[in-house]
Amino acid sequence: MTVDLLGFLGVVLVAYVVPGPDFLVVLRSAAEDPAHGRAAALGAQTGLCAHMLAAAAGLSVIATRSPLVYDGIKLMGAAYLVYLGVRAVRAARRADRERRDANGATSAGPGRGGPAQGRLRSGFTQGLLTNLLNPKAALFFLSVLPQFVDGDGSMAQQIFFLGTLDVVIGVVYWFALVVVAARLRALLARPTVRHRWELTTGWLFIAIGVSVAAVA
């Protein structure tokens, strides 16, 4: 099996570095709690595994060649991003009201309340759904990835090989991002900064969701 590894690695690295929905979910989760960020990263990569397996099995071809199916996935993904954004904006406004009502009471920090296992499950679910409902991930395996495979070999095996490599690279990249984002926790412990962070990420989610829905 002969594949263009160097070309593929270059494309994959660029795809991860350019901010998108997965990037924002992992970054925001990691700023709340490193474990939460790692869970979101693993969720996103699990969704990528699903896209890879679907592409290898040929299922994604059906979805991407059917405008109705493609538009349905796209709109569900857009709606989910808007939902995450609205939650963040509401959380920012609620936290701001509580801060003003407490008149400068000590902040509890950037982490959210609730059992740790529940937060990890929430982070994993957010990463998973954000990736699964992103039709661009499916298109990557169908339109971009085949450019780096050997036409004389098994297409399914090569897609599986390159897809697995993509997933592993993503895990390493996301975990490195979690380490960097975790350093924001001390800064986000400040109520004013926390409020602005929640508002900014919330409106970014909404903007990305609206742009996804608007693209033909």
Side-chain angles (χ1 to χ4, degrees):
M1 179 175 62
T2 303
V3 295
D4 182 6
L5 279 179
L6 289 180
F8 176 74
L9 290 176
V11 170
V12 168
L13 290 176
V14 170
Y16 277 114
V17 170
V18 175
D22 289 347
F23 182 93
L24 191 56
V25 168
V26 174
L27 179 64
R28 188 172 185 276
S29 299
E32 294 173 357
D33 183 87
H36 193 188
R38 288 189 290 269
L42 292 176
Q45 296 311 98
T46 300
L48 200 62
C49 286
H51 286 298
M52 174 187 64
L53 294 176
L59 300 178
S60 294
V61 177
I62 300 175
T64 54
R65 288 184 178 178
S66 171
L68 183 61
V69 174
Y70 179 84
D71 289 343
I73 296 174
K74 182 180 67 175
L75 290 176
M76 285 191 294
Y80 184 68
L81 290 174
V82 171
Y83 163 74
L84 292 179
V86 170
R87 281 186 57 185
V89 171
R90 292 180 61 185
R93 293 177 176 175
R94 182 170 59 251
D96 188 53
R97 286 197 302 269
E98 293 174 354
R99 179 178 62 85
R100 285 187 276 108
D101 291 342
N103 193 25
T106 302
S107 170
R112 291 184 177 179
Q117 186 175 359
R119 292 199 302 272
L120 293 179
R121 185 163 49 245
S122 173
F124 182 87
T125 302
Q126 287 184 17
L128 176 65
L129 291 179
T130 299
N131 190 280
L132 280 180
L133 297 176
N134 183 4
K136 291 182 179 179
L139 286 176
F140 174 82
F141 284 99
L142 291 174
S143 60
V144 178
L145 190 147
Q147 299 179 33
F148 302 97
V149 303
D150 180 8
D152 296 329
S154 169
M155 180 68 71
Q157 288 182 5
Q158 293 179 81
I159 288 178
F160 183 77
F161 170 72
L162 292 178
T164 301
L165 185 59
D166 185 356
V167 171
V168 172
I169 292 173
V171 170
V172 174
Y173 176 77
W174 293 136
F175 275 36
L177 179 65
V178 167
V179 172
V180 175
R183 298 181 181 275
L184 295 174
R185 284 171 55 80
L187 180 63
L188 291 176
R190 304 174 185 176
T192 302
V193 176
R194 180 66 179 180
H195 172 68
R196 293 175 180 174
W197 167 259
E198 292 279 7
L199 278 181
T200 300
T201 55
W203 284 113
L204 280 175
F205 271 125
I206 293 173
I208 294 174
V210 171
S211 66
V212 168
V215 173

